[in-house]
Structure formats: structure tokens, C-alpha cells
Amino acid sequence: MSMLTRAEVEDFLYHEAALLDEWKTMEWAELFTEDGEYLVPPMELPNADKNEALFIINDDHHRLVQRAKRLTRRTAHVEFPHSKVRHAIHNVRILEQDESSLSVATNQVVYRAKRQNLDTFVCHVVYRLARTTDGLRIRSKRVMLDIDGLRPHGMISAIL
Amino acid sequence: MNKPRDAGLSDTHFIRIDPERCEFLVPRWAFTDQAVLDKERAEIFSRCWLYVGHASEIPKPGDFVVRKVGGRQLFLWRGEDDQPRVYFNTCTHRGAIVCRERQGNAKRLTCPYHGWTYDTRGGMVEQPGASGFPDDFFANGAKDLKSPAKVDSYRDFVFVNFDPEAVDLKTYLAGAAEYLDVVADQGEHGMEVTPGEQAYSMRANWKLLYENSADGYHAITAHASYFDYLRATVGVFREDFNPHEVGGGGKSLGNGHAVIEYQAPWGRPVAQWVPQWGESGKEEVGRVKAELASRLGEQRADRIANWNRNILIFPNLIINDIMGLTIRTFQPINPGYLEVTAWSLAPRGEHQEMRAWRQYNFNEFLGPAGFATPDDVEMLELCQQAYQNMPEVGWNDISKGMNRPDNNQGDDEVQMRSFWIRWDELMGAARHEKV
């Protein structure tokens, strides 16, 4: 397999962002490998170990699928009706890659609007991607927040 | 101002209790009125014991953490003599913040504005341009860092009180002290706050979060999607758990403190095993349980291991001893906005497998991106927004369970009534009736 270009990686990330912006959360979950994980470490400890520190999100594959499913239900009250969400992705850098996997760093800004409030999440997102016969898949998505507390956001209810 | 004309701040009862009808009403303007918050700052946040931090957060001499507490800027600093102390985070000269990092270690702190320097006992030890002051200007602690009127700790939970006339901490805690013991006793070698702080907020009045934190009544509707998640997850329930017999219930602990205690359906790192944790988890939970029993006796070990506790310490400390162990405190910023800070508490030296499950469990239900807390935030914000329907719709109802005063169930509202009676008392109303 030839090495992937940044444009090919960007296409994949833009696809992921589009699914999230359209609330196609189950399709988003399908982008993950069977051992995939979705993590948001504590803001002051972006490199922390999920088994020791208190994370904000610490989803293994089972839980990220359930998170995606929950967000399709009316009983996920916080996102019913769904807020407006928009992901903007910048500064995509392929940190390393080989035939089977790559690691990618990005800057992302996620906007969430609901009930006349607009919350902005400034993120440094690092992906570990797997190259499979079905195309790229996410083995790990680690969202490191460059904000000093979820204030005034209050929470992370949509998927970053 | 959107409140009933008969509701004065000083000479009218805030709450309405009708024992005949078993009805308990709270005025909604108590959640929206700036004058109420101003009075709360004076009568509650300046007179009650307020949680600052846990001694384990500053393990070594010189360690500090900064905190906002009761509208003040404080920091907790462990002295070189190993004493934890609390200071107002303000230079005695012109007032700048002295401790600018969120946490760290320092033997001295220097105000960045003019260079006045303090040691870990708060003493003023150096200032540039000393010749401009008389020799004895700094003598006798005249310009030392200032501390709250009272600082004390109970089982490593450090509190302050801004009122020099306040009762001592143990007296203040009343029946809640015993619940702090249940929490603190879980660690063979003491307890520690784990790294990682959850700082979030709610566009809602602070009292709504106090009520919500031990509200068993909302679980089935507000957290329906969480129960769907549990049903879809294999092995998270205790095998012999009978949801119709959770036992326990809510009770008032005095001084506005309250608790609900009930049997835990889920895994507790201390110390109830569920199949999700596998055989190695079973072995470790067994070891923890045996240690508890040998140290505290079978009965207390069972209570610690198999029961949940949502502990409310008036006015703004919540300890949820559920699938994990949380410390959560919150500060009103304005009538419609509060800031929350939460930590995970764990036994010191806990086995790494149990620590990993503890943190995983915490994230499952709790925290600003858990499967439950965001829905709680939403509910509180829905309440806050709808309080704009005043004066036409002016009262909240928290009567559930008043018709069975000796047999409170976990989904009754006795813990809220206990809060409001104390709140009413402190806010200056004369009326005080049994819940």
C-alpha cells in the first residue's frame, strides 16, 4: 500500500465531521475499529492515563456505540431536540504512518448552539487511524480541550 | 421584579408548609432574584462551613491548590511545618492575586505587582524598597496573608467559615459527620483525590443542583436513556439484585444536611463485585471486602460495600458514594448560573484494576459528559428558564413523602425539605416546622 496523502486523511476527517454535524451518530460509531476508543482527558492533564486520572470521556468501543445510540433517542433529553453542531478542522498533520496505521494531529473547533446559547470547544485532536480493506478506521480519538473548564458550556452533550 | 407582591425579603415566610394537606411549597423567585442571592451570600455563604479541598490534594509541604469558595478567591497551601492552611488569594498591599497557578508547589509566593513576598505560613518575608516603610511597619504580622475566620478539617475534608462566631465544624456537620466517616473509612491507608478535576457549570440557580443531587424521584424519567445503556451492557448489575427491594430511603441529618441511602445494584470498587469485572476483579473485591470486615467489623463492611449514599452537606458539598465516589462542590455566580467542580475520591494505594474500574464507572453516569449528568444539567436549565413564568406560576412543590414522615422512601423529597427549612431559617424567616 502506498502512503496516504494529507488530502486523503482530510477527506476522511471531513466525512467524520459531516456525520457528527448531521447527527448520524450510529454511522459515526461505525468509523471505529472493534477495539476503538474515544477519549477526552482532563483539561489540565491532556496526556493523563485513563486508568488513573478522572477523564471527562473514557469510552471503550462498547460505550462509544452506546453513546452514539443514546443520542438517537428522545430520552437523551439534553440533545432532544438536537442542538446545532458544527465541526471545523484545521492544521491537519500526519505525525507518522506505515502500511497499516497512522497517527494524525488536528486542531478543531466545535460549535454547539441551543436555546440562544453558543458554546465553543477549542480542541487539539489526535487520531490513531487503522488502514483496513474497508478504508480508514479510527482506533483512538483523543480530544484535548484548550479551554479552562467547561464554563460556561456546562457539559459536553454532543460528540466532539 | 417578577415576584408576588406579598413576598418581602425580611419579614415574610419564604416557604409555605401545610401539614394538613401534606404540602410543601417553595417560591420560584428564590431561584431568580438577585436580592435573594445577595442575602444568601451574607446569611449562608458567609456563615456556614464551606468545603475548600481535600488534604490529599496537597500532600507535600509547599503544595497548593487555588479555589473559588463562597464568592472568595482562596488557596490551600501546606506549610513547611506540614500544616494545611487556607489564605485569601490577595496581596495585602494592593490586592493582586498572589497564587496564579491552579496548583503547584512553592516555598514562597511573590505578588507579581510590586514583589511583596510571603512564606508558607502566610508571613510577609520580603518586599522591594523596604526603606520606604518604617522599621516596624511589617511587624506582628501586620501585612501577612489573611485567612478566613475559621479553618478546620474533618477526616481530611478541609472547610472554612468566614464567620468568627460560627459553631465548630464537628458540631456544624451534625449527623453528616458519620457519613463522612463511612466514606473516609473505605481506604485502608486513607483516601486520596485522584488527578483530574471536572470543572463545569449550569445555567441554573445553585439550589437546583443541591436538590437534584439526592433526588431519587427524577431517575426513571430524566435518566431513562442511562437505564437503556445499562440494559445493553452485560454484567454491570449485581447478580442477586432485586430492584424492588433496594431498601433505605432519605433522611435529614440536621443543619440542612441530608442523605439518601439505598442498596447498590452496580459494581462498587469498595467493595461489590459485578460479572463485568471478571475473575481477577472478583479476587480483588474479595480481598478489599475482607480487609474492611477485619478492620471495621462485618456489619459496617456490608454497609460500606453494598449500599449507596448521596450525602448532602449544607449548603454546597455533595458526596455521592455510588458507582464511584465523588466530591462535588458548586458556587453561585449569579441567580441563574453556578459553577461546579468535581473530583473522584479513592482509597490510597488502591489496586490498579479497581482504580481503572472506578474511573470508568465515574465517567459512565457522572460528570459533564456522562450518560446522566448532561440530562440533569438540561433539567435544571429547563426549570430555570421556565421560572420566567412568574408571577402567574409562582411556586415549586416538594411535598412527596410528607404523608409518610416515618417511612421515607428513596424517591421522596424529605432531603429537599430539610434543605429548605434550614435555608429559610438562615435567611431570617421565623417559621420552622417539622418536615
Side-chain angles (χ1 to χ4, degrees), chain B residues 5 52 154 177 206 223 243 346 361-362 411:
Chain B
R5 292 198 322 154
V52 177
Y154 185 77
W206 68 277
H223 301 313
N361 275 10
F362 192 117
D411 61 356

Side-chain angles (χ1 to χ4, degrees), chain A residues 42-45 50-58 60 62-63 66-67 70 73 75-78 114-115 117 119 148-156, chain B residues 102 195-201 203 221-222 225 228-229 232-233 337 339-341 355-356 359-360 362-364 368-369 371 374-375 378-379 381-382 385:
Chain A
M43 280 159 270
E44 71 280 18
L45 300 169
K50 66 186 168 120
N51 294 321
E52 290 170 10
L54 176 63
F55 271 43
I56 298 166
I57 295 176
N58 167 11
D60 56 11
H62 169 75
R63 195 149 75 186
Q66 292 301 318
R67 181 180 298 276
R70 188 179 106 84
R73 294 183 168 130
T75 49
H77 305 286
V78 66
K114 189 169 192 184
R115 284 206 302 274
N117 286 316
D119 292 318
D148 197 21
L150 287 164
R151 294 169 179 158
H153 321 68
M155 63 196 159
I156 303 173
Chain B
R102 285 169 71 156
E197 166 182 293
Q198 292 185 337
Y200 53 112
S201 64
R203 290 164 175 128
T221 42
S225 70
D228 289 339
Y229 161 75
T233 306
Y337 183 67
E339 289 184 350
V340 193
T341 313
R355 180 64 60 91
Q359 305 297 45
Y360 184 85
F362 192 117
N363 292 138
E364 178 171 287
F371 281 36
D375 290 330
E378 179 75 359
M379 295 308 128
E381 295 185 359
L382 292 177
Q385 288 212 345

